[in-house]
Each structure stands twice: as structure tokens, then as C-alpha cells.
């Protein structure tokens, strides 16, 4: 960009620092090199405060930081009672079945084993609850996941749906969305679930706690028992109580993270 005299070069950081062993040596080298070059761009955008702080710690010193969060399509992700009926019919479950879901590719940072272990604990008190794992790698061929499933009683109630193209509709059919990640910057799936009017139980990673505010429950990462307790707090609210909490979550997205408003902020920046 400098060589061909581009007048304004912007960088955009969309992650937080990963834990050791969660990224390649090449990625680490690239991050270190970019830290040395970070004074060159006109401005560096970060989509999370945690991401900005993490990259500052490793030596990023841009002329200016700009925090621009992710935005969510409030027309694509919508509350939908018919999705609740459809999802339970597809799974062959009764309409009053409590459904707890997690969306994300199978990866060490997404920590699906914590989700499954929380399900084992929750099933002790709620034997009729069911659980969904959605995303590439969350299928019957995953030996590591199968081993964790075999640890407890929830296995028959855990549905491994793999990669799906109808995630917005599935999310709208959930009672509770659970994020069990050990590392995130600004997890889109949480905002998407909130936009669908689904209350969330999330791990305290990245800016997740800021996103959910008081509309969800935040617990430490890698703690299945605390995640199960968070589900319990939402389960006892009943369908109407969760629906009301989900409406509050959607309102929070509309007020702070509407995609149209975020796009305008980017357009203003580019101008």
C-alpha cells in the first residue's frame, strides 16, 4: 500500500490473543512482525476492547485505535415461535422439551467438552432436557467428542448436527444458548442468539460479558459445574420468563449492535 501510494491504510483486528498452543508458529511470527509495523497504518480498528488490549500488550502502537464492534442483522435473526415447533419436530421431541444449544466449529478454543460435561451435570436434575452441538466437526465421527459423551448420562440427549445452513432458524428454536469458549474477541454467535430472542449463558471471554450485559449469565471458562448452574438459573424461569429475558436481549442488540448502525460507523470512518 505504501509502495503504490495508497493515501490511507487501515488495519482491522478481529481476535483476542490465543492461549499458548492454540495458534501456529507462523501466526505468532506474523503477529510479532505486524507489531513492529503497526505505526505505519493510518489507524487500526479492533472489534473488541479485549482484542485492543491484547495486541497492545504484544507491542502494537498504531497512530490511533478505533473500537468498532460487530453488528447483527436484525431481519435475518428474529424471534420465531414456529421455529421452536419445527426444531422439536425435526428432532422427534415433545414440544415442552428444554433445548440448550451451542454453535461453533469443533476446536479447542470453542471447548465443546465443557458443554457436554455441563450437560452431564444438568441431566442429573433435568433428565428430559436435550442439547444441540452445531458446526463442522460436531458429528458422530469425532472420536474425541464421543469419548466425552461417554463420561455421563447426557449422551442419548445430545444431538450432533454438524454443519448446518439453517442456523438462524435453529437458534430461534432454542430455550438457552450456551457459549463455552476459552478464547474469543467478540463472538458473533452470542449476538446472533440474542437477536433471536434467546437468553444466553456464556463464558467470561473477550467482550462477551459486555455484549450480554444483564440479559444473560456469565461464568468462568472451563467450569462445567458453573455452566450447568447458569442453565439452571435460566431453566427455572420457565418458557415465559426466558422469553421475556430473550426479548430484553434482542432489545440490547437493537440499541447497541444493529448492523445498519455499525455499517454507518464504518462508512464514516472510510470517508
Amino acid at each position: 500500500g505504501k509502495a503504490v501510494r495508497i493515501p490511507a491504510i487501515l488495519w482491522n483486528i478481529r481476535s483476542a490473543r490465543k492461549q499458548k498452543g492454540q495458534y501456529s508458529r507462523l501466526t505468532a511470527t506474523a503477529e510479532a512482525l505486524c507489531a513492529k509495523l503497526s505505526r505505519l497504518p493510518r489507524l487500526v480498528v479492533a472489534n473488541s476492547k479485549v482484542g485492543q488490549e491484547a495486541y497492545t500488550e504484544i507491542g502494537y502502537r498504531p497512530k490511533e485505535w478505533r473500537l468498532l464492534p460487530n453488528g447483527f442483522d436484525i431481519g435475518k435473526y428474529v424471534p420465531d415461535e414456529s421455529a421452536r415447533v419445527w426444531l422439536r419436530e425435526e428432532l422427534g421431541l415433545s414440544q415442552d422439551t428444554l433445548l440448550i444449544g451451542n454453535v461453533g466449529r469443533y476446536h479447542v478454543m470453542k471447548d465443546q467438552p465443557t458443554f457436554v460435561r455441563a450437560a452431564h451435570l444438568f441431566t442429573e436434575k433435568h433428565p428430559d432436557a436435550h442439547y444441540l452441538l452445531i458446526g463442522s466437526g460436531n458429528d458422530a465421527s469425532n472420536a474425541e467428542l464421543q469419548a466425552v459423551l461417554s463420561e455421563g448420562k447426557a449422551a442419548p440427549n445430545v444431538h450432533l448436527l454438524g454443519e448446518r445452513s439453517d442456523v438462524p432458524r435453529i437458534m430461534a428454536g432454542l430455550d438457552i444458548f450456551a457459549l463455552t469458549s476459552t478464547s474469543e474477541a467478540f463472538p458473533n454467535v452470542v449476538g446472533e442468539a440474542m437477536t433471536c430472542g434467546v437468553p444466553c449463558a456464556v463464558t467470561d471471554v473477550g467482550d462477551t460479558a459486555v455484549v450480554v450485559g444483564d440479559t444473560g449469565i456469565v461464568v468462568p471458562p472451563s467450569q462445567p459445574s458453573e455452566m450447568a448452574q447458569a442453565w439452571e438459573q435460566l431453566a427455572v424461569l420457565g418458557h415465559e420468563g426466558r422469553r421475556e429475558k430473550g426479548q430484553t436481549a434482542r432489545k440490547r442488540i437493537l440499541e447497541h449492535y444493529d448492523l445498519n448502525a455499525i455499517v454507518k460507523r464504518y462508512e464514516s470512518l472510510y470517508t
Side-chain angles (χ1 to χ4, degrees):
K2 291 288 186 183
V4 297
R5 298 183 180 181
I6 297 296
I9 298 172
L10 311 180
W11 287 4
N12 196 314
I13 292 174
R14 312 195 62 79
S15 68
R17 289 282 291 167
K18 302 171 183 65
Q19 296 174 7
K20 188 174 182 180
Q22 293 183 342
Y23 57 99
S24 69
R25 183 176 297 178
L26 179 61
T27 298
T29 301
E31 287 182 345
L33 178 59
C34 286
K36 296 181 182 299
L37 300 174
S38 61
R39 295 180 185 275
L40 297 178
R42 166 67 184 81
L43 178 147
V44 176
V45 177
N47 73 337
S48 70
K49 185 65 176 176
V50 167
Q52 177 182 333
E53 292 171 350
Y55 281 85
T56 298
E57 286 178 5
I58 63 170
Y60 279 64
R61 297 292 184 270
K63 297 181 180 72
E64 180 183 349
W65 283 103
R66 185 73 58 87
L67 183 63
L68 291 177
N70 296 352
F72 302 95
D73 188 337
I74 61 175
K76 179 179 180 181
Y77 293 89
V78 295
D80 183 0
E81 281 294 321
S82 69
R84 176 184 177 84
V85 176
W86 161 79
L87 183 57
R88 284 156 183 76
E89 287 180 348
E90 178 172 292
L91 298 172
L93 304 173
S94 66
Q95 288 301 312
D96 60 353
T97 300
L98 183 74
L99 278 182
I100 303 172
N102 171 283
V103 178
R105 73 192 190 282
Y106 190 85
H107 190 277
V108 63
M109 288 189 301
K110 303 300 181 183
D111 195 13
Q112 283 90 350
T114 284
F115 178 89
V116 174
R117 289 177 178 126
H120 290 322
L121 295 171
F122 192 75
T123 299
E124 296 288 342
K125 189 173 181 179
H126 300 272
D128 296 328
H130 281 247
Y131 315 88
L132 307 184
L133 279 172
I134 303 145
S136 60
N138 293 299
D139 53 49
S141 66
N142 187 327
E144 181 180 5
L145 188 52
Q146 292 291 349
V148 180
L149 281 168
S150 69
E151 294 175 1
K153 296 180 179 180
N157 294 6
V158 178
H159 305 265
L160 305 178
L161 302 189
E163 191 165 359
R164 298 281 295 235
S165 60
D166 53 355
V167 169
R169 195 177 187 196
I170 292 174
M171 277 188 166
L174 296 174
D175 290 295
I176 300 169
F177 180 83
L179 181 88
T180 52
S181 297
T182 59
S183 177
E184 295 280 357
F186 190 117
N188 281 331
V189 287
V190 172
E192 290 164 357
M194 292 171 65
T195 311
C196 288
V198 178
C200 299
V202 301
T203 45
D204 191 7
V205 292
D207 281 11
T208 307
V210 176
V211 177
V212 299
D214 61 359
T215 72
I217 300 174
V218 183
V219 301
S222 304
Q223 297 293 325
S225 61
E226 298 215 24
M227 180 58 69
Q229 289 172 20
W231 296 351
E232 180 66 31
Q233 292 178 55
L234 294 172
V236 298
L237 296 177
H239 176 63
E240 287 305 316
R242 288 189 299 273
R243 185 169 176 269
E244 182 177 337
K245 201 166 189 66
Q247 289 173 341
T248 304
R250 179 174 169 84
K251 182 180 179 182
R252 181 170 177 80
I253 295 296
L254 269 68
E255 290 177 351
H256 300 287
Y257 305 105
D258 182 346
L259 180 60
N260 292 322
I262 302 301
V263 166
K264 288 178 181 177
R265 292 176 65 180
Y266 268 99
E267 289 174 342
S268 175
L269 171 63
Y270 296 155
T271 301

